[in-house]
Amino acid sequence: MSGSKQAFPKAKTNGLTYADAGVDITAGNDLVSAIKPLAKSTRRKGADAALGGFGGLFDLKACGYRDPVLVAANDGVGTKLKLAIDSGIHRGVGIDLVAMSVNDLVVQGAEPLFFLDYYATGKLDVAAAREVIAGIADGCRQAGCALIGGETAEMPGMYHGGDYDLAGFAVGAVERKKILPAATVKAGDVILGLASSGPHSNGYSLIRRIVAQSGLALTSKAPFANATLTEALLTPTRIYVKALLKVLKKGTAIKALAHITGGGFTENIPRVLPKSTVAAIDLSAVPYPSVFRWLAETGGVAEREMLRTFNCGVGMIVVVAAKDAKAVTTQLKRAGETVVTLGTIRSRKGKEDQVSYSGTLGA
């Protein structure tokens, strides 16, 4: 009604606060203060990694690119988080978070430049959150990228107690002429594999099911490692960025890279191959760590299911010309990687699968 005034109830002097609703702003501020030194430790050219603004800044010009294309990737850690939450061992999943995105950047030839994280929880535990972010900072240092920002969300009612979830966002750059995979991938090329550190961050719904089926407690000694079952299964994802960038910056010997994540060899290798080719993989050449043997035997998991669920010991595929295979292998070994020759690229016959297997895992 024109000219009328809407009446509002008078505020109660002892009314509800945000803290009463389950959100502790003070704890959030404490976390920001605790992680500022962690972010500062990831400084690199182009970023000062200071926190506190509404957005993170990055100076691409300072990196010296001439004709750059930006490459972005985001990912999470998945149900591996449940092991971290239940055990109270949080740092490794921070590394996992970074690894899953930066390894996806480097397969396109890109150098990771900066990273942002999203941490959501029901009740903010500053100590646990700081451990996670310490792991994120560690992963950023391993990848050579700056942690320039992030978001912490305390959402009672959405998450139970101290449960939390993570998402990570990485941005990198590559010179336009060096984007991978190259158009030169062809029959006769050699496929190299870089060893993984374990299951990385994939297949943990199945892993947790197998652990439950085994009857072992998470605190039991792992049958396949000199550690508890939880400690062994929380081994962080290997970050391949610096080793691969060393080779990529020396020339064009690397034609294609494939990050072996969920979907294993079967789903990930075809993503970087021309439709007219097949990756012929010799399974007997795969470095098949004992953790995968235990998972397969305890869970009764068939070999083909292992190959489309886990990395089975190879976290990164590298495709090179036959003439360059020896030199690239040497360079990657000098950079600290364990390298094996897995097979070759051949011509595809009709509509056959783009990954062909011979031999047996663990033979």
Side-chain angles (χ1 to χ4, degrees):
M1 184 175 177
S2 179
S4 65
K5 294 183 178 180
Q6 186 175 359
F8 292 95
K10 292 182 178 180
K12 298 179 180 179
T13 56
N14 295 315
L16 290 172
T17 66
Y18 211 3
D20 292 329
V23 179
D24 190 341
I25 294 175
T26 301
N29 291 336
D30 289 344
L31 178 61
V32 171
S33 296
I35 65 177
K36 281 184 177 180
L38 299 173
K40 187 176 180 180
S41 73
T42 69
R43 281 180 173 174
R44 56 151 293 153
K45 188 178 294 185
D48 65 8
L51 300 183
F54 286 96
L57 303 177
F58 192 92
D59 182 0
L60 187 59
K61 186 177 180 180
C63 297
Y65 286 94
R66 296 180 179 180
D67 186 21
V69 173
L70 293 178
V71 185
N74 74 295
D75 211 333
V77 179
T79 55
K80 187 176 185 179
L81 286 178
K82 190 62 178 171
L83 292 178
I85 293 166
D86 290 347
S87 66
I89 303 172
H90 303 286
R91 187 175 291 238
V93 293
I95 299 173
D96 289 316
L97 185 68
V98 177
M100 298 308 290
S101 286
V102 297
N103 283 340
D104 279 354
L105 293 185
V106 78
V107 300
Q108 293 176 93
E111 173 192 10
L113 300 175
F114 60 87
F115 187 86
L116 300 98
D117 69 278
Y118 176 74
Y119 181 104
T121 184
K123 177 66 176 175
L124 182 59
D125 180 333
V126 174
R130 187 195 179 283
E131 276 298 289
V132 171
I133 298 170
I136 291 171
D138 189 359
C140 286
R141 290 190 296 270
Q142 289 183 39
C145 63
L147 175 59
I148 66 170
E151 172 69 8
T152 301
E154 191 173 21
M155 297 188 288
M158 284 289 290
Y159 296 91
H160 177 70
D163 285 354
Y164 60 83
D165 197 10
L166 300 173
F169 309 85
V171 174
V174 57
E175 295 289 1
R176 192 178 304 274
K177 293 181 180 180
K178 295 184 177 182
I179 296 173
L180 297 180
T184 55
V185 175
K186 62 181 181 180
D189 287 343
V190 171
I191 304 167
L192 306 176
L194 306 187
S196 69
S197 57
H200 286 179
S201 298
N202 303 109
Y204 273 79
S205 293
L206 177 55
I207 289 173
R208 290 170 57 239
R209 179 76 176 269
I210 292 170
V211 170
Q213 183 175 306
S214 74
L216 292 173
L218 289 172
T219 53
S220 301
K221 184 183 182 302
F224 51 85
N226 186 26
T228 67
L229 194 54
T230 301
E231 289 168 345
L233 292 174
L234 284 175
T235 301
T237 303
R238 186 164 183 81
I239 294 177
Y240 301 97
V241 170
K242 288 185 177 179
L244 290 171
L245 286 178
K246 283 182 180 180
V247 181
L248 289 169
K249 289 178 178 179
K250 286 184 177 180
T252 57
I254 292 179
K255 296 185 175 188
L257 297 165
H259 184 198
I260 307 304
T261 55
F265 287 6
T266 306
E267 303 293 336
N268 287 294
I269 297 177
R271 296 166 69 178
V272 300
L273 297 181
K275 296 296 184 183
S276 60
T277 63
V278 168
I281 303 292
D282 177 9
L283 295 179
S284 64
V286 174
Y288 196 50
S290 54
V291 58
F292 295 109
R293 295 175 188 266
W294 181 79
L295 290 169
E297 292 170 4
T298 306
V301 185
E303 184 177 76
R304 287 301 186 269
E305 184 67 15
M306 292 293 292
L307 288 164
R308 69 190 301 268
T309 304
F310 301 111
N311 66 60
C312 294
V314 174
M316 185 69 70
I317 294 291
V318 184
V319 178
V320 297
K323 66 180 180 61
D324 295 321
K326 185 176 180 180
V328 171
T329 296
T330 298
Q331 290 170 32
L332 289 170
K333 285 183 176 179
R334 285 176 179 169
E337 299 298 334
T338 298
V339 188
V340 295
T341 301
L342 294 176
T344 58
I345 305 294
R346 64 169 175 79
S347 297
R348 190 180 186 189
K349 300 174 184 177
K351 294 184 178 181
E352 69 173 317
D353 292 340
Q354 278 199 278
V355 182
S356 171
Y357 299 113
S358 62
T360 303
L361 284 172

